[in-house]
Amino acid sequence: MASVVERMARAGHPSLDQLTPEEAKASYEKGAGVLEVPKPELARIEDFVIAARDGFGLPARLYAPSSAKLPVLVYFHGGGFTVGNIRTHDTLCRVLSHKSGCAVVSVDYRLAPAHKFPTASDDAWDAFSFIAKEGARLGLDPGRLAVGGDSAGGTLAAVCAILARDAGLPLALQLLIYPGTAAHQDTASHQRHADGPLLTKAMIDYFFGQYVRTPADRDDWRFAPLLADDVDGVAPAWVGLAECDAVVDEGIAYADKLRAAGVAVDLEIYRGVIHEFLKMGRAIPEALQAQDDAARAIKQALKP
């Protein structure tokens, strides 16, 4: 991991927070696949569109290892609500589908700064609801349903898990990969990793500066699930965290919040690795281990 961090520094690319939002989107996408494993081949890869509540067509991509009627993971990519898309997380979604034997639906929710809070969480819920209610039309089994995401996508997955409970929709698992859960970045791990590696205080401030409309948005549980009044009865969680990551403490805090409410939680903290490590399988053995662990959690939660 130290070698990867050193190579990143040596490459000399500007930090995303030093770029315009459009430049940051392009830079993140350009670098997204550099350390990833080869893309697994799958029987089904299909692009389609989900209608959001305002009529906007949300791009989505279905991954499936066969044409059978499969259980499904609805997945939201990371990127601070500002960068990232279906393409940047294509390999990861292929891997999760291939290793779990389940279908994965990756959702291109709208990004800041063009679309401020709560657009991302609204889009995420609209997409999740569509798959829960209409997934059979895509040849899926929405009775066996999981939701997941990494970083900001993990935040969205946690939000959907709470909303699914409130709506009475069946949900077998929430897969939270180094999620953001806190209103303010003031934990010990944020202070310890203010200068990174990779995810710095400046970058987090930049992302959230694009996304929130006013400081009050930070106190909305859809931005910070740790502030949710009640998480009793939400779906069981698999929480995968990186030890050397600014958001590790808030990930632990959310796992503790779920456990205190009687929710089954499998918490894995991968030692010596940084934010985004899950997409570094070509260089980091822990990424392969975490991919295996996440896929196993999906498979076990969604088995008939």
Side-chain angles (χ1 to χ4, degrees):
M1 187 80 260
S3 170
V4 168
V5 170
E6 184 186 340
R7 290 203 302 268
M8 289 165 126
R10 223 171 32 233
H13 299 304
S15 175
L16 296 183
D17 55 279
Q18 297 171 354
L19 304 173
T20 68
E22 288 311 309
E23 289 170 342
K25 286 173 170 63
S27 177
Y28 181 77
E29 181 165 356
K30 186 177 179 183
V34 171
L35 295 177
E36 291 200 293
V37 296
K39 292 180 186 289
E41 294 297 323
L42 294 168
R44 288 183 74 189
I45 297 179
E46 300 168 12
D47 290 325
F48 64 105
V49 173
I50 297 170
R53 64 192 66 187
D54 62 359
F56 180 82
L58 296 169
R61 182 172 294 170
L62 167 65
Y63 303 86
S66 76
S67 55
K69 188 175 183 181
L70 296 174
V72 58
L73 167 73
V74 179
Y75 194 85
F76 305 114
H77 67 79
F81 307 106
T82 306
V83 302
N85 54 47
I86 286 174
R87 296 179 300 279
T88 62
H89 284 62
D90 180 75
T91 299
L92 177 59
C93 288
R94 286 172 183 254
V95 166
L96 292 176
S97 178
H98 174 71
K99 287 180 178 288
S100 70
C102 299
V104 175
V105 171
S106 179
V107 179
D108 242 346
Y109 56 91
R110 285 172 281 185
L111 297 175
H115 303 282
K116 303 278 191 183
F117 176 87
T119 304
S121 57
D122 288 347
D123 285 354
W125 174 243
D126 291 346
F128 177 85
S129 302
F130 173 82
I131 297 300
K133 295 170 182 173
E134 308 289 340
R137 291 203 282 117
L138 296 167
L140 304 172
D141 180 2
R144 292 183 289 159
L145 184 60
V147 68
D150 60 289
S151 197
T155 310
L156 298 175
V159 169
C160 283
I162 296 171
L163 292 171
R165 175 206 61 187
D166 294 347
L169 295 178
L171 182 62
L173 178 72
Q174 50 180 319
L175 187 84
L176 310 180
I177 301 165
Y178 30 80
T181 65
H184 301 283
Q185 289 62 57
D186 53 8
T187 64
S189 63
H190 275 287
Q191 294 162 14
R192 191 163 59 248
H193 299 291
D195 297 323
L198 190 69
L199 186 64
T200 62
K201 179 182 186 302
M203 194 181 297
I204 295 170
D205 290 346
Y206 170 79
F207 286 149
F208 292 166
Q210 307 293 331
Y211 183 52
V212 299
R213 299 163 300 185
T214 70
D217 284 344
R218 289 174 170 270
D219 296 321
D220 189 308
W221 69 269
R222 293 170 298 170
F223 176 82
L226 263 175
L227 298 180
D229 289 337
D230 164 26
V231 293
D232 294 18
V234 302
W238 184 88
V239 183
L241 306 176
E243 181 186 21
C244 306
D245 184 0
V247 300
V248 64
D249 285 357
E250 59 196 80
I252 294 168
Y254 196 64
D256 288 345
K257 181 182 179 80
L258 294 173
R259 281 181 175 146
V263 177
V265 176
D266 182 359
L267 172 63
E268 301 285 348
I269 303 175
Y270 296 91
R271 301 298 175 183
V273 293
I274 67 172
H275 202 76
E276 282 260 301
F277 83 96
L278 197 71
K279 294 167 80 268
M280 302 178 183
R282 202 156 54 80
I284 307 298
E286 288 80 3
L288 303 178
Q289 182 63 55
Q291 290 170 3
D292 285 344
D293 293 345
R296 189 180 312 111
I298 298 163
K299 189 173 187 174
Q300 289 175 349
L302 297 181
K303 64 187 176 188

